[in-house]
């Protein structure tokens, strides 16, 4: 029975770690998108298609 609790603890710890990594990745990707979008808006007059 103790093995089950150890497995559940390890699984829970791994899920928390994965969640934190996903939050950090999402925040950094969002920041990058905002910065590059602002850069495009700033240079809007220079863009021609």
């Amino acid at each position: 029975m103790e093995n089950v609790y150890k497995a559940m603890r390890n699984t829970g710890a791994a899920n928390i770690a994965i969640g934190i990594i996903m939050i950090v990745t999402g925040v950094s990707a969002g920041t990058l998108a905002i910065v590059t979008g602002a850069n495009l808006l700033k240079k809007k007059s220079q863009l021609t298609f």
Side-chain angles (χ1 to χ4, degrees):
M1 195 66 151
E2 189 172 325
N3 289 336
V4 173
Y5 290 124
K6 285 182 181 179
M8 289 173 64
R9 183 187 65 201
N10 291 339
T11 302
N15 284 339
I16 290 172
I18 290 171
I20 291 170
I21 291 170
M22 289 179 67
I23 288 170
V24 170
T25 303
V27 168
S28 62
T31 304
L32 260 171
I34 290 170
V35 169
T36 55
N39 193 18
L40 279 174
L41 285 175
K42 189 170 83 173
K43 296 180 180 181
K44 184 168 65 171
S45 63
Q46 299 172 359
L47 294 175
T48 56
F49 291 98

